Structure formats: C-alpha cells, structure tokens
Amino acid sequence: MSMLDKLKSMLKGHESQVDKGIDRAGDMADETTRGKYQEQIDTAQQKAKDQLRRDPEAPGREQDNPPQA
C-alpha cells in the first residue's frame, strides 16, 4: 500500500474538510506570491483534489510507479 493510499483511507469521510484545506493552502500561496502564480496554483489545487478523490480499488487505476525499462 502506497503512502497516498494510506492518506486517502485516513481522509475518507472528511472530503469537505480536505477540500477546504486544499483551498486555504492554495489561497495562502496565491496571497504570498501576490497572484503571480495564480493559474499554476489553481491547477495544483484541482489536481490535488482529483488525486485524493481517485478510488484506489477502481479498475484501470494508474500505476504509482511507472514500469522500469
């Protein structure tokens, strides 16, 4: 079980609080940078929310570690 899977299981049932935390962290970063990186911060917030909502048991789940060549 990966670290992300453990984190997801710990946060299960608290999705709204997690979303608020991600939003607050992004807003703080945006305020600190005075809006210079607003687009990148918004993208990072959305990707973080999407990653935490992804079901680890779902078929076709992306691999955490890419295959080694």
Side-chain angles (χ1 to χ4, degrees):
M1 179 179 273
S2 73
M3 181 66 126
L4 186 59
D5 291 337
K6 289 180 184 180
L7 182 61
K8 287 179 187 180
S9 68
M10 288 173 30
L11 299 175
K12 196 170 206 108
H14 303 283
E15 290 82 5
S16 64
Q17 290 176 330
V18 172
D19 285 348
K20 286 179 187 176
I22 291 171
D23 288 337
R24 288 187 69 193
D27 292 345
M28 184 182 298
D30 193 36
E31 184 179 314
T32 302
T33 61
R34 298 181 184 160
K36 185 175 181 180
Y37 301 104
Q38 181 178 6
E39 187 175 324
Q40 291 89 340
I41 291 169
D42 290 343
T43 300
Q45 285 175 307
Q46 190 58 50
K47 286 186 178 190
K49 290 177 184 180
D50 292 345
Q51 185 69 29
L52 289 173
R53 287 188 190 112
R54 189 174 300 158
D55 185 5
E57 303 299 322
R61 176 178 172 237
E62 293 179 19
Q63 295 292 324
D64 291 337
N65 299 319
Q68 299 296 317

mmCIF file of all heavy atoms in Angstrom, residues 39-67:
data_model
loop_
_atom_site.group_PDB
_atom_site.id
_atom_site.type_symbol
_atom_site.label_atom_id
_atom_site.label_comp_id
_atom_site.label_asym_id
_atom_site.label_seq_id
_atom_site.Cartn_x
_atom_site.Cartn_y
_atom_site.Cartn_z
ATOM 1 N N GLU A 39 -2.598 30.929 -11.773
ATOM 2 C CA GLU A 39 -3.033 29.857 -12.670
ATOM 3 C C GLU A 39 -2.399 28.520 -12.279
ATOM 4 O O GLU A 39 -3.073 27.490 -12.231
ATOM 5 C CB GLU A 39 -2.670 30.207 -14.108
ATOM 6 C CG GLU A 39 -3.238 29.240 -15.127
ATOM 7 C CD GLU A 39 -2.951 29.685 -16.553
ATOM 8 O OE1 GLU A 39 -2.968 30.897 -16.819
ATOM 9 O OE2 GLU A 39 -2.714 28.799 -17.386
ATOM 10 N N GLN A 40 -1.105 28.530 -11.967
ATOM 11 C CA GLN A 40 -0.428 27.298 -11.574
ATOM 12 C C GLN A 40 -0.942 26.786 -10.232
ATOM 13 O O GLN A 40 -1.097 25.573 -10.040
ATOM 14 C CB GLN A 40 1.096 27.519 -11.495
ATOM 15 C CG GLN A 40 1.741 27.753 -12.839
ATOM 16 C CD GLN A 40 1.767 29.222 -13.249
ATOM 17 O OE1 GLN A 40 1.008 30.039 -12.744
ATOM 18 N NE2 GLN A 40 2.640 29.555 -14.182
ATOM 19 N N ILE A 41 -1.228 27.690 -9.325
ATOM 20 C CA ILE A 41 -1.748 27.295 -8.012
ATOM 21 C C ILE A 41 -3.136 26.688 -8.153
ATOM 22 O O ILE A 41 -3.441 25.656 -7.547
ATOM 23 C CB ILE A 41 -1.749 28.496 -7.042
ATOM 24 C CG1 ILE A 41 -0.309 28.883 -6.697
ATOM 25 C CG2 ILE A 41 -2.546 28.188 -5.782
ATOM 26 C CD1 ILE A 41 -0.172 30.205 -5.969
ATOM 27 N N ASP A 42 -3.981 27.302 -8.984
ATOM 28 C CA ASP A 42 -5.321 26.761 -9.212
ATOM 29 C C ASP A 42 -5.252 25.363 -9.815
ATOM 30 O O ASP A 42 -6.005 24.462 -9.432
ATOM 31 C CB ASP A 42 -6.137 27.681 -10.116
ATOM 32 C CG ASP A 42 -6.522 28.985 -9.445
ATOM 33 O OD1 ASP A 42 -6.450 29.066 -8.203
ATOM 34 O OD2 ASP A 42 -6.896 29.931 -10.167
ATOM 35 N N THR A 43 -4.329 25.171 -10.758
ATOM 36 C CA THR A 43 -4.151 23.852 -11.378
ATOM 37 C C THR A 43 -3.707 22.829 -10.334
ATOM 38 O O THR A 43 -4.213 21.706 -10.294
ATOM 39 C CB THR A 43 -3.122 23.929 -12.518
ATOM 40 O OG1 THR A 43 -3.585 24.861 -13.500
ATOM 41 C CG2 THR A 43 -2.904 22.567 -13.167
ATOM 42 N N ALA A 44 -2.769 23.220 -9.480
ATOM 43 C CA ALA A 44 -2.280 22.318 -8.437
ATOM 44 C C ALA A 44 -3.383 21.965 -7.447
ATOM 45 O O ALA A 44 -3.492 20.804 -7.016
ATOM 46 C CB ALA A 44 -1.099 22.952 -7.704
ATOM 47 N N GLN A 45 -4.220 22.944 -7.103
ATOM 48 C CA GLN A 45 -5.338 22.676 -6.193
ATOM 49 C C GLN A 45 -6.275 21.641 -6.807
ATOM 50 O O GLN A 45 -6.695 20.690 -6.132
ATOM 51 C CB GLN A 45 -6.125 23.952 -5.913
ATOM 52 C CG GLN A 45 -5.458 24.911 -4.978
ATOM 53 C CD GLN A 45 -6.239 26.204 -4.852
ATOM 54 O OE1 GLN A 45 -6.565 26.840 -5.843
ATOM 55 N NE2 GLN A 45 -6.537 26.584 -3.624
ATOM 56 N N GLN A 46 -6.613 21.807 -8.075
ATOM 57 C CA GLN A 46 -7.537 20.888 -8.731
ATOM 58 C C GLN A 46 -6.940 19.489 -8.842
ATOM 59 O O GLN A 46 -7.623 18.492 -8.600
ATOM 60 C CB GLN A 46 -7.924 21.411 -10.123
ATOM 61 C CG GLN A 46 -9.050 20.632 -10.745
ATOM 62 C CD GLN A 46 -10.300 20.634 -9.887
ATOM 63 O OE1 GLN A 46 -10.766 21.679 -9.433
ATOM 64 N NE2 GLN A 46 -10.846 19.466 -9.627
ATOM 65 N N LYS A 47 -5.658 19.406 -9.171
ATOM 66 C CA LYS A 47 -5.009 18.095 -9.277
ATOM 67 C C LYS A 47 -4.939 17.401 -7.922
ATOM 68 O O LYS A 47 -5.109 16.183 -7.842
ATOM 69 C CB LYS A 47 -3.621 18.236 -9.887
ATOM 70 C CG LYS A 47 -3.669 18.518 -11.370
ATOM 71 C CD LYS A 47 -2.309 18.518 -11.997
ATOM 72 C CE LYS A 47 -2.456 18.768 -13.488
ATOM 73 N NZ LYS A 47 -1.203 18.551 -14.202
ATOM 74 N N ALA A 48 -4.701 18.153 -6.872
ATOM 75 C CA ALA A 48 -4.665 17.563 -5.532
ATOM 76 C C ALA A 48 -6.034 17.007 -5.156
ATOM 77 O O ALA A 48 -6.144 15.898 -4.626
ATOM 78 C CB ALA A 48 -4.215 18.603 -4.508
ATOM 79 N N LYS A 49 -7.080 17.774 -5.436
ATOM 80 C CA LYS A 49 -8.439 17.303 -5.147
ATOM 81 C C LYS A 49 -8.771 16.062 -5.965
ATOM 82 O O LYS A 49 -9.339 15.092 -5.438
ATOM 83 C CB LYS A 49 -9.456 18.404 -5.430
ATOM 84 C CG LYS A 49 -9.400 19.550 -4.450
ATOM 85 C CD LYS A 49 -10.388 20.631 -4.837
ATOM 86 C CE LYS A 49 -10.284 21.839 -3.941
ATOM 87 N NZ LYS A 49 -11.242 22.890 -4.328
ATOM 88 N N ASP A 50 -8.418 16.067 -7.241
ATOM 89 C CA ASP A 50 -8.688 14.912 -8.105
ATOM 90 C C ASP A 50 -7.936 13.679 -7.618
ATOM 91 O O ASP A 50 -8.482 12.576 -7.608
ATOM 92 C CB ASP A 50 -8.297 15.212 -9.550
ATOM 93 C CG ASP A 50 -9.189 16.249 -10.204
ATOM 94 O OD1 ASP A 50 -10.283 16.548 -9.663
ATOM 95 O OD2 ASP A 50 -8.779 16.782 -11.261
ATOM 96 N N GLN A 51 -6.690 13.852 -7.227
ATOM 97 C CA GLN A 51 -5.876 12.729 -6.777
ATOM 98 C C GLN A 51 -6.444 12.117 -5.503
ATOM 99 O O GLN A 51 -6.486 10.902 -5.364
ATOM 100 C CB GLN A 51 -4.438 13.191 -6.536
ATOM 101 C CG GLN A 51 -3.495 12.080 -6.173
ATOM 102 C CD GLN A 51 -3.222 11.128 -7.315
ATOM 103 O OE1 GLN A 51 -3.277 11.508 -8.468
ATOM 104 N NE2 GLN A 51 -2.950 9.900 -7.001
ATOM 105 N N LEU A 52 -6.904 12.928 -4.591
ATOM 106 C CA LEU A 52 -7.442 12.409 -3.335
ATOM 107 C C LEU A 52 -8.809 11.765 -3.515
ATOM 108 O O LEU A 52 -9.206 10.926 -2.724
ATOM 109 C CB LEU A 52 -7.504 13.515 -2.285
ATOM 110 C CG LEU A 52 -6.140 13.956 -1.775
ATOM 111 C CD1 LEU A 52 -6.281 15.168 -0.876
ATOM 112 C CD2 LEU A 52 -5.439 12.827 -1.044
ATOM 113 N N ARG A 53 -9.536 12.144 -4.551
ATOM 114 C CA ARG A 53 -10.855 11.549 -4.805
ATOM 115 C C ARG A 53 -10.765 10.249 -5.584
ATOM 116 O O ARG A 53 -11.710 9.481 -5.609
ATOM 117 C CB ARG A 53 -11.717 12.530 -5.595
ATOM 118 C CG ARG A 53 -12.201 13.674 -4.778
ATOM 119 C CD ARG A 53 -13.200 14.498 -5.551
ATOM 120 N NE ARG A 53 -13.482 15.715 -4.836
ATOM 121 C CZ ARG A 53 -13.131 16.925 -5.253
ATOM 122 N NH1 ARG A 53 -12.517 17.081 -6.399
ATOM 123 N NH2 ARG A 53 -13.409 17.985 -4.538
ATOM 124 N N ARG A 54 -9.631 9.987 -6.241
ATOM 125 C CA ARG A 54 -9.488 8.789 -7.058
ATOM 126 C C ARG A 54 -9.578 7.558 -6.185
ATOM 127 O O ARG A 54 -8.935 7.461 -5.147
ATOM 128 C CB ARG A 54 -8.140 8.817 -7.782
ATOM 129 C CG ARG A 54 -8.028 7.718 -8.818
ATOM 130 C CD ARG A 54 -6.775 7.837 -9.601
ATOM 131 N NE ARG A 54 -6.748 9.125 -10.285
ATOM 132 C CZ ARG A 54 -5.645 9.701 -10.707
ATOM 133 N NH1 ARG A 54 -4.482 9.131 -10.509
ATOM 134 N NH2 ARG A 54 -5.680 10.859 -11.321
ATOM 135 N N ASP A 55 -10.388 6.591 -6.611
ATOM 136 C CA ASP A 55 -10.610 5.357 -5.858
ATOM 137 C C ASP A 55 -9.473 4.376 -6.135
ATOM 138 O O ASP A 55 -9.288 3.961 -7.273
ATOM 139 C CB ASP A 55 -11.957 4.740 -6.265
ATOM 140 C CG ASP A 55 -12.310 3.527 -5.452
ATOM 141 O OD1 ASP A 55 -11.576 3.195 -4.504
ATOM 142 O OD2 ASP A 55 -13.339 2.899 -5.770
ATOM 143 N N PRO A 56 -8.714 3.985 -5.114
ATOM 144 C CA PRO A 56 -7.596 3.071 -5.342
ATOM 145 C C PRO A 56 -8.028 1.674 -5.787
ATOM 146 O O PRO A 56 -7.240 0.931 -6.333
ATOM 147 C CB PRO A 56 -6.884 3.020 -3.993
ATOM 148 C CG PRO A 56 -7.881 3.462 -2.999
ATOM 149 C CD PRO A 56 -8.842 4.370 -3.724
ATOM 150 N N GLU A 57 -9.275 1.321 -5.567
ATOM 151 C CA GLU A 57 -9.773 -0.001 -5.947
ATOM 152 C C GLU A 57 -10.398 -0.016 -7.330
ATOM 153 O O GLU A 57 -10.828 -1.057 -7.809
ATOM 154 C CB GLU A 57 -10.795 -0.493 -4.918
ATOM 155 C CG GLU A 57 -10.259 -0.543 -3.498
ATOM 156 C CD GLU A 57 -9.077 -1.482 -3.350
ATOM 157 O OE1 GLU A 57 -9.093 -2.561 -3.992
ATOM 158 O OE2 GLU A 57 -8.148 -1.156 -2.613
ATOM 159 N N ALA A 58 -10.497 1.137 -7.973
ATOM 160 C CA ALA A 58 -11.165 1.224 -9.276
ATOM 161 C C ALA A 58 -10.333 0.540 -10.350
ATOM 162 O O ALA A 58 -9.113 0.648 -10.364
ATOM 163 C CB ALA A 58 -11.389 2.679 -9.655
ATOM 164 N N PRO A 59 -11.013 -0.176 -11.273
ATOM 165 C CA PRO A 59 -10.276 -0.805 -12.368
ATOM 166 C C PRO A 59 -9.660 0.258 -13.269
ATOM 167 O O PRO A 59 -10.187 1.353 -13.418
ATOM 168 C CB PRO A 59 -11.340 -1.593 -13.130
ATOM 169 C CG PRO A 59 -12.639 -1.291 -12.502
ATOM 170 C CD PRO A 59 -12.418 -0.437 -11.305
ATOM 171 N N GLY A 60 -8.498 -0.057 -13.838
ATOM 172 C CA GLY A 60 -7.848 0.880 -14.734
ATOM 173 C C GLY A 60 -7.122 1.984 -13.999
ATOM 174 O O GLY A 60 -6.752 2.986 -14.574
ATOM 175 N N ARG A 61 -6.887 1.761 -12.721
ATOM 176 C CA ARG A 61 -6.196 2.776 -11.912
ATOM 177 C C ARG A 61 -4.781 2.947 -12.432
ATOM 178 O O ARG A 61 -4.088 1.991 -12.740
ATOM 179 C CB ARG A 61 -6.163 2.302 -10.464
ATOM 180 C CG ARG A 61 -5.396 3.217 -9.565
ATOM 181 C CD ARG A 61 -5.445 2.698 -8.133
ATOM 182 N NE ARG A 61 -4.554 3.494 -7.339
ATOM 183 C CZ ARG A 61 -3.554 2.998 -6.629
ATOM 184 N NH1 ARG A 61 -3.347 1.716 -6.589
ATOM 185 N NH2 ARG A 61 -2.777 3.787 -5.949
ATOM 186 N N GLU A 62 -4.339 4.190 -12.494
ATOM 187 C CA GLU A 62 -2.978 4.465 -12.933
ATOM 188 C C GLU A 62 -2.000 3.911 -11.915
ATOM 189 O O GLU A 62 -2.240 3.925 -10.720
ATOM 190 C CB GLU A 62 -2.763 5.969 -13.067
ATOM 191 C CG GLU A 62 -3.567 6.598 -14.170
ATOM 192 C CD GLU A 62 -3.318 8.097 -14.231
ATOM 193 O OE1 GLU A 62 -2.289 8.574 -13.686
ATOM 194 O OE2 GLU A 62 -4.144 8.778 -14.838
ATOM 195 N N GLN A 63 -0.879 3.454 -12.399
ATOM 196 C CA GLN A 63 0.149 2.920 -11.523
ATOM 197 C C GLN A 63 0.894 4.054 -10.856
ATOM 198 O O GLN A 63 1.193 5.069 -11.467
ATOM 199 C CB GLN A 63 1.152 2.071 -12.328
ATOM 200 C CG GLN A 63 0.528 0.829 -12.924
ATOM 201 C CD GLN A 63 0.130 -0.171 -11.858
ATOM 202 O OE1 GLN A 63 0.819 -0.315 -10.857
ATOM 203 N NE2 GLN A 63 -0.973 -0.849 -12.060
ATOM 204 N N ASP A 64 1.214 3.886 -9.570
ATOM 205 C CA ASP A 64 2.008 4.888 -8.864
ATOM 206 C C ASP A 64 3.438 4.899 -9.368
ATOM 207 O O ASP A 64 4.084 5.930 -9.422
ATOM 208 C CB ASP A 64 1.998 4.612 -7.359
ATOM 209 C CG ASP A 64 0.643 4.863 -6.741
ATOM 210 O OD1 ASP A 64 -0.153 5.619 -7.315
ATOM 211 O OD2 ASP A 64 0.397 4.291 -5.667
ATOM 212 N N ASN A 65 3.934 3.731 -9.732
ATOM 213 C CA ASN A 65 5.306 3.613 -10.218
ATOM 214 C C ASN A 65 5.267 3.152 -11.676
ATOM 215 O O ASN A 65 4.783 2.067 -11.970
ATOM 216 C CB ASN A 65 6.086 2.597 -9.389
ATOM 217 C CG ASN A 65 6.168 3.017 -7.946
ATOM 218 O OD1 ASN A 65 6.371 4.188 -7.657
ATOM 219 N ND2 ASN A 65 6.008 2.083 -7.033
ATOM 220 N N PRO A 66 5.826 3.941 -12.591
ATOM 221 C CA PRO A 66 5.837 3.520 -13.993
ATOM 222 C C PRO A 66 6.739 2.311 -14.173
ATOM 223 O O PRO A 66 7.664 2.094 -13.378
ATOM 224 C CB PRO A 66 6.371 4.741 -14.734
ATOM 225 C CG PRO A 66 7.076 5.548 -13.708
ATOM 226 C CD PRO A 66 6.438 5.223 -12.388
ATOM 227 N N PRO A 67 6.497 1.511 -15.208
ATOM 228 C CA PRO A 67 7.354 0.341 -15.440
ATOM 229 C C PRO A 67 8.782 0.752 -15.716
ATOM 230 O O PRO A 67 9.046 1.763 -16.350
ATOM 231 C CB PRO A 67 6.733 -0.341 -16.671
ATOM 232 C CG PRO A 67 5.641 0.544 -17.140
ATOM 233 C CD PRO A 67 5.455 1.660 -16.185
#
